[in-house]
Amino acid sequence: MQTTHDRPLTGRVALVAGATRGAGRGIAVQLGAAGATVYATGRTTRTQRPGPDQAGYDRPETIEETAELVTAAGGTGIAVQVDHLVAEQVAALVERIDTEQGRLDVLVNDIWGGEFLTEWDKPVWEHSLDGGLRLLRLAVDTHLITSRYALPLLIRRPGGLVVEITDGTAEYNAEHYRLNVYYDLAKVAPIRLARSWAHELRAHGGTAVALTPGWLRSEIMLDAFGVSEENWRDACAHQPHFVISETPHFVGRAVAALAADPQRERWTGSSLSSGGLAQVYGFTDLDGSTPDAWRYLVEVQDAGKPADATGYR
């Protein structure tokens, strides 16, 4: 028999913006596993699959699937098709949450969509300008638009949590140039946004953090290596450091742990990682491991040592 101890987020309402796949899906499902009602947003539905001509991925994952996984995990999943660059759609989404639930306890800004726009290691004068600016709109404007409409509902009750999902900790990104100027800006911006939200929410009893997964075994990443979740270790033959990778559920459990922590305000304004929070809260990835990717990157991969996750997961 499940109890409120097993599902500490029962009665809480979360919005995971950008929950079609990857980290967003893992976060939505793990919030559901903790008992939350989760609004899962994205553009891809079972009847509409944005292709490259619509600046989409043309992939099979849908928000309906995510919502069903949330419900199967023990929560209540609600799929809503939203383009988070369109302010009117975001405003309508928040109005619907207010009408149906009357509250919002957790906002996760995970909108991204820039994988296929990123041109690795190209200087600004060689990188597509249109692609780079589109990447920044997806990574920054969407988060601003969503927060503009969602935060007034979130601050209606003290204790709200905002999580800005990014790639890299503040410490790592301060010391490392990330792929190109557009990607670099895109992944530093959510860290700064979390500090901004922390400042603005403090008077309302709210908490805001930036959170990064490690090397994420997203659907796109697994496909790129030609493997599945079941045989992901086969990819290590091509990229040995993939041994430190983690499922999207690991960062999902990090968000769920933060949302369930009555003392989460101690983290406000901070840059956090899934591996770092696992050491604090004691959660694991689906296989029972606790991969600490960002420590591994510094101490093993960037140090030029042979791939070996011993002591890091």
Side-chain angles (χ1 to χ4, degrees):
M1 178 179 177
Q2 295 288 346
T3 68
T4 55
H5 176 72
D6 300 314
R7 301 189 190 275
L9 300 182
T10 298
R12 307 275 190 89
V13 178
L15 165 57
V16 181
T20 310
R21 59 185 67 85
R25 174 173 283 190
I27 292 166
V29 171
Q30 290 304 320
L31 286 170
T37 294
V38 182
Y39 285 78
T41 69
R43 294 195 303 151
T44 305
T45 71
R46 288 190 172 122
T47 59
Q48 185 172 352
R49 182 167 159 172
D53 59 326
Q54 299 167 294
Y57 285 156
D58 193 22
R59 288 192 55 87
E61 302 86 17
T62 69
I63 54 172
E64 292 97 337
E65 289 172 353
T66 299
E68 289 165 2
L69 290 168
V70 170
T71 301
T76 301
I78 302 170
V80 185
Q81 186 183 35
V82 178
D83 183 337
H84 285 265
L85 280 173
V86 181
E88 294 79 8
Q89 293 185 25
V90 178
L93 164 69
V94 175
E95 184 177 354
R96 174 177 170 179
I97 297 172
D98 190 10
T99 299
E100 295 178 353
Q101 310 296 334
R103 63 187 294 165
L104 179 64
D105 303 286
V106 180
L107 167 63
V108 180
N109 274 325
D110 181 56
I111 314 106
W112 168 226
E115 279 91 345
F116 302 139
L117 295 170
T118 301
E119 299 177 31
W120 284 48
D121 301 319
K122 280 196 175 181
V124 68
W125 56 88
E126 294 181 6
H127 195 291
S128 163
L129 179 61
D130 288 343
L133 293 178
R134 169 74 181 177
L135 185 154
L136 287 175
R137 288 212 71 206
L138 289 167
V140 182
D141 290 14
T142 55
H143 292 219
L144 289 165
I145 292 167
T146 304
S147 298
R148 160 64 179 83
Y149 290 99
L151 292 187
L153 180 55
L154 184 131
I155 64 173
R156 197 176 293 172
R157 297 166 180 262
L161 172 66
V162 179
V163 182
E164 286 283 339
I165 301 297
T166 189
D167 174 21
T169 63
E171 181 181 19
Y172 190 88
N173 288 353
E175 297 296 327
H176 297 80
Y177 184 66
R178 307 301 308 279
L179 304 184
N180 61 59
V181 66
Y182 300 107
Y183 190 90
D184 194 62
L185 282 172
K187 297 310 178 181
V188 169
I191 296 172
R192 190 67 194 187
L193 284 176
R195 292 183 62 185
S196 298
W197 308 148
H199 174 79
E200 296 186 355
L201 293 174
R202 190 168 288 113
H204 303 277
T207 297
V209 302
L211 177 63
T212 179
W215 196 336
L216 195 70
R217 292 201 300 274
S218 65
E219 299 88 348
I220 291 175
M221 182 63 68
L222 290 170
D223 284 353
F225 280 122
V227 296
S228 66
E229 180 56 33
E230 288 68 34
N231 70 333
W232 70 267
R233 289 184 180 275
D234 291 352
C236 297
H238 172 69
Q239 171 47 269
H241 291 298
F242 198 55
V243 70
I244 196 60
S245 64
E246 64 196 56
T247 77
H249 293 273
F250 193 47
V251 71
R253 289 176 173 177
V255 173
L258 284 167
D261 183 358
Q263 297 180 314
R264 59 186 167 275
E265 192 174 357
R266 61 187 158 140
W267 300 111
T268 198
S270 298
S271 166
L272 307 169
S273 69
S274 50
L277 287 179
Q279 304 303 316
V280 176
Y281 290 113
F283 61 84
T284 67
D285 205 344
L286 296 183
D287 63 359
S289 69
T290 54
D292 194 353
W294 295 100
R295 186 166 63 89
Y296 176 93
L297 256 63
V298 171
E299 298 178 5
V300 180
Q301 183 172 319
D302 292 349
K305 296 179 181 179
D308 184 0
T310 303
Y312 293 93
R313 63 177 313 140

